Amino acid sequence: YLDLTAQFVRDRSPHVWSILLSSFERIDTLVESRNRPAFETFLRGRFEAILADLGWTSHPDEDDLTRELRADLIGTLGIIGNDAGIQSTARARYAEYLQRPETVDPNLVPALINIVAFTGEESDYQDFFNRFRQARTPQEERRYLFGLTAFRAPSLVARTLAHTLRDEIRTQDGAAVIGALLSTRHGRDRAWTFVKEHWKTIEQRFPANGLRRLFGHLPVLSTTTLERDVHQFLKRQRIDLGGKVLAQYLEQLRVAVTFREREGTALRAYFSPGRQST
């Protein structure tokens, strides 16, 4: 499959790239740390041609799908691909956005915010938190709130998790923020530990639909050890989300674990140091 994706580097259909990006995001959750440099190089190779064509600036004759595709490509390459050039340009464009918002395509703004957070430090975090608290529109508020989940430093991940149990973040958003962190490589383990340690408070604080969304992220805990831990926790706490919702989440987790077990060795070999992918 990874070799097959090379056949689409000249394709310009947003629909095709939507599928490719979705699959790369799933594969990203399976790549081990020692193989990440090779995976990041692989992504840069796949994106090079289309980003060169699209550039960073939208054009009046572009349709909405193309504008969204540009943002998705830049966001994926800046975060999953960890591309230093993309990250540097994203920071410059974000600074331009703060000074002259009208000069930056609105579709690109969420990607810029997430990349700045992904590469950010304490000062960036505090600025984002202040912008979240002082946001003038609901859209701006949500951009900066969920931008907080992209910061990777353990202390900042812990701070964001702690905020979800305070009044700074509305209860209807708190569970979603924990879920967003649960979906990241840098936040997954800490977010899951946080859920277990603070479950009684979480259960009482968040509405039922928020808890359902939170547990909808269980499939990212796709290792045998974490899957076992999930089942033990759910059994111990006697959690019931109503109907077959939880059973469906656990089935998706089982599928994810099975996929990791089945393809893990091949994935490690494909991205092993020194191997040149086609």
Side-chain angles (χ1 to χ4, degrees):
Y1 173 77
L2 290 170
D3 284 346
L4 177 66
T5 62
Q7 305 302 315
F8 298 96
V9 295
R10 295 291 175 183
D11 199 299
R12 295 299 175 264
S13 169
H15 301 291
V16 170
W17 276 98
S18 176
I19 295 172
L20 292 174
L21 288 169
S22 178
S23 69
F24 292 152
E25 289 173 359
R26 175 57 61 89
I27 292 166
D28 172 61
T29 67
L30 307 176
V31 176
E32 298 177 355
S33 297
R34 60 180 175 177
N35 298 133
R36 293 215 63 81
F39 178 56
E40 291 164 3
T41 299
F42 166 86
L43 284 181
R44 288 193 286 271
R46 293 298 188 260
F47 290 10
E48 183 178 20
I50 188 169
L51 275 178
D53 285 352
L54 293 178
W56 283 77
T57 305
S58 59
H59 307 286
D61 58 343
E62 285 182 344
D63 58 29
D64 289 340
L65 287 178
T66 299
R67 293 171 185 263
E68 292 169 7
L69 173 59
R70 175 186 291 106
D72 289 342
L73 290 168
I74 289 172
T76 300
L77 196 53
I79 295 177
I80 296 178
N82 198 28
D83 187 294
I86 293 291
Q87 293 167 351
S88 177
T89 303
R91 277 192 166 270
R93 289 299 177 96
Y94 175 70
E96 180 182 346
Y97 164 73
L98 293 182
Q99 295 298 319
R100 295 186 298 161
E102 71 281 0
T103 64
V104 177
D105 182 354
N107 290 284
L108 197 55
V109 174
L112 300 181
I113 288 175
N114 288 332
I115 292 173
V116 170
F118 185 76
T119 59
E121 300 178 350
E122 167 73 30
S123 58
D124 297 302
Y125 185 94
Q126 191 57 53
D127 180 63
F128 271 40
F129 187 76
N130 291 339
R131 291 181 184 278
F132 152 64
R133 295 284 287 168
Q134 299 165 11
R136 291 168 293 181
T137 67
Q139 183 184 48
E140 183 181 16
E141 180 186 68
R142 292 189 67 80
R143 282 176 175 173
Y144 283 105
L145 172 60
F146 286 95
L148 297 176
T149 68
F151 286 88
R152 291 179 289 171
S155 61
L156 300 181
V157 172
R159 191 182 304 181
T160 301
L161 288 168
H163 282 313
T164 65
L165 301 185
R166 301 172 186 153
D167 291 337
E168 295 112 334
I169 297 178
R170 291 190 294 267
T171 55
Q172 59 263 41
D173 294 327
V177 170
I178 297 174
L181 275 169
L182 198 60
S183 296
T184 65
R185 293 192 312 274
H186 59 270
R188 184 191 67 179
D189 293 345
R190 291 183 180 86
W192 177 238
T193 298
F194 183 84
V195 169
K196 292 186 295 181
E197 291 179 348
H198 298 275
W199 172 245
K200 292 303 181 184
T201 303
I202 289 172
E203 184 180 34
Q204 295 170 4
R205 182 176 180 82
F206 299 141
N209 61 340
L211 295 178
R212 283 193 289 272
R213 287 196 295 270
L214 170 59
F215 282 107
H217 295 277
L218 286 180
V220 303
L221 303 175
S222 57
T223 69
T224 303
T225 300
L226 284 172
E227 182 188 28
R228 186 183 308 114
D229 190 40
V230 167
H231 279 276
Q232 291 173 348
F233 171 74
L234 295 176
K235 182 178 180 180
R236 185 168 60 252
Q237 299 296 340
R238 299 180 181 179
I239 295 172
D240 182 6
L241 300 180
K244 298 182 178 180
V245 173
L246 191 55
Q248 291 171 343
Y249 293 158
L250 292 175
E251 181 181 10
Q252 293 167 12
L253 174 59
R254 178 91 290 267
V255 169
V257 172
T258 301
F259 181 71
R260 178 186 290 274
E261 292 173 342
R262 190 187 73 191
E263 301 296 340
T265 300
L267 201 61
R268 285 191 293 273
Y270 194 92
F271 291 119
S272 62
R275 184 192 185 282
Q276 297 296 316
S277 60
T278 58

